[in-house]
Structure formats: structure tokens, C-alpha cells
């Protein structure tokens, strides 16, 4: 049993939706970004900042690309300073003041609550779905079935 942010087109696995998340712009918790966010500039101005992107193929990257397309911005026009396949690396780069990123709110909620990063909401209907996944040829034991029921009924 695992958790995944992107449903694959395969009969080898069962994907059960369990929560939805929205995208945010995450930035360092510095006086510069605090002042910038307080001014509430258009997103096009915020996206001129140095930006850290997830790798091609990640669910977060696909959702971010959809968002950027919806507001008419190409990733080629961004000031990309890093691309990585590691979410924790992205979060630490932001925390350490390297730049901003578009991420799932759940992914940065912990750092936001501790005041280590700032979060700016994005006006977008684009949401991410998360799934519980397990092999379709695997008969789940009662404990796993109970665990899945529990997870699917949590209030995210």
C-alpha cells in the first residue's frame, strides 16, 4: 500500500482517491517576500522571481504547468534557477532563500505553520488528487482494508 499524487493508466494497480489539494506559491520567509506579498501584486510580477521547478513528469509539475498555461505564462519565460525530483530539496531551497516554487499546499503546510516559508494562494481551479495505491493482484489483509477506510475518511 502506498500514496501517490498521479494516477497511472495501468491494470496492475488499484488507485483509490482519498484527498484533493490546491496549488500555492511558496516563498522564503524573508522581509523581502513578506513585503512583496503584502503589496499583493499580480501573479505575473511574483513569477519574475527566481523559481525552483519540480522535474518533468511529477504530478506537481503537471499541475503547475496547467496553472501557468491557464494564465498565459510559459515555463521558458521563467527565471528558473533549479529543477529537482526531490520535494524536500525544493522545500529546503525555498526555506534557505534561494527562490520560490509552485507546490501543493499540503506539501508546504508544515513549514508554513512553523513560519519557515510564506505561502501565497493562487487563484485557480486546478487541484491535485492523491490516491492510495496497491497492486491489483494483492488480496489486502483486514488490517490494510481498515487502514484504507480510515485514511479515506480523514478530513484533509
Amino acid at each position: 500500500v502506498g500514496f501517490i499524487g498521479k494516477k497511472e493508466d495501468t491494470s496492475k494497480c488499484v488507485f483509490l482517491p482519498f484527498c484533493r489539494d490546491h496549488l500555492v506559491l511558496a516563498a522564503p520567509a524573508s522581509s523581502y517576500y513578506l513585503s512583496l506579498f503584502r503589496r499583493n501584486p499580480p501573479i505575473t510580477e511574483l513569477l519574475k522571481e527566481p523559481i525552483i521547478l519540480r522535474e518533468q513528469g511529477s504530478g506537481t509539475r503537471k499541475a503547475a504547468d496547467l496553472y501557468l498555461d491557464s494564465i498565459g505564462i510559459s515555463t521558458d519565460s521563467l527565471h528558473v534557477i533549479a529543477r529537482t525530483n526531490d520535494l524536500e530539496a525544493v522545500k529546503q531551497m525555498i526555506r534557505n532563500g534561494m527562490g520560490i516554487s509552485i507546490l501543493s499546499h499540503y506539501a508546504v503546510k508544515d513549514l508554513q505553520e512553523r513560519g519557515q516559508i510564506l505561502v501565497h494562494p493562487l487563484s485557480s481551479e486546478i487541484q491535485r488528487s492523491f490516491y492510495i495505491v496497491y497492486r491489483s493482484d494483492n488480496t489486502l489483509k483486514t488490517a490494510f482494508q481498515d487502514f484504507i477506510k480510515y485514511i479515506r475518511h480523514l478530513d484533509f
Side-chain angles (χ1 to χ4, degrees):
V1 173
F3 300 95
I4 192 165
K6 184 174 81 171
K7 187 176 179 179
E8 299 290 331
D9 187 20
T10 178
S11 62
K12 293 181 180 181
C13 294
V14 173
F15 296 87
L16 303 171
F18 76 96
C19 76
R20 295 182 68 79
D21 192 10
H22 61 279
L23 297 175
V24 295
L25 185 73
S30 67
S31 58
Y32 170 78
Y33 283 103
L34 187 58
S35 172
L36 185 60
F37 282 9
R38 282 188 179 143
R39 279 195 308 107
N40 199 23
I43 191 65
T44 53
E45 182 179 333
L46 293 172
L47 290 172
K48 291 179 181 175
E49 296 295 318
I51 192 163
I52 304 154
L53 293 179
R54 290 292 310 270
E55 80 283 5
Q56 281 290 81
S58 90
T60 301
R61 174 66 185 271
K62 286 184 179 183
D65 286 348
L66 281 173
Y67 170 73
L68 292 169
D69 284 346
S70 76
I71 61 170
I73 294 179
S74 161
T75 54
D76 294 337
S77 68
L78 300 174
H79 177 56
V80 178
I81 59 161
R83 297 174 201 270
T84 181
N85 64 352
D86 186 343
L87 172 62
E88 290 304 313
V90 173
K91 290 166 56 173
Q92 292 311 311
M93 285 187 254
I94 295 167
R95 194 172 72 80
N96 290 322
M98 291 180 65
I100 64 171
S101 190
I102 297 173
L103 298 171
S104 292
H105 184 244
Y106 288 142
V108 295
K109 189 175 177 183
D110 59 333
L111 294 179
Q112 178 191 18
E113 289 173 349
R114 290 192 298 252
Q116 295 178 322
I117 65 164
L118 301 173
V119 170
H120 184 78
L122 299 176
S123 58
S124 171
E125 298 298 316
I126 297 170
Q127 293 190 346
R128 294 209 44 217
S129 294
F130 290 90
Y131 302 88
I132 300 166
V133 62
Y134 61 91
R135 288 182 24 191
S136 57
D137 63 353
N138 189 9
T139 304
L140 293 179
K141 301 209 182 297
T142 304
F144 279 121
Q145 292 175 17
D146 291 343
F147 175 70
I148 289 170
K149 284 180 192 171
Y150 173 77
I151 292 296
R152 291 185 82 188
H153 289 95
L154 288 176
D155 184 24
F156 285 95

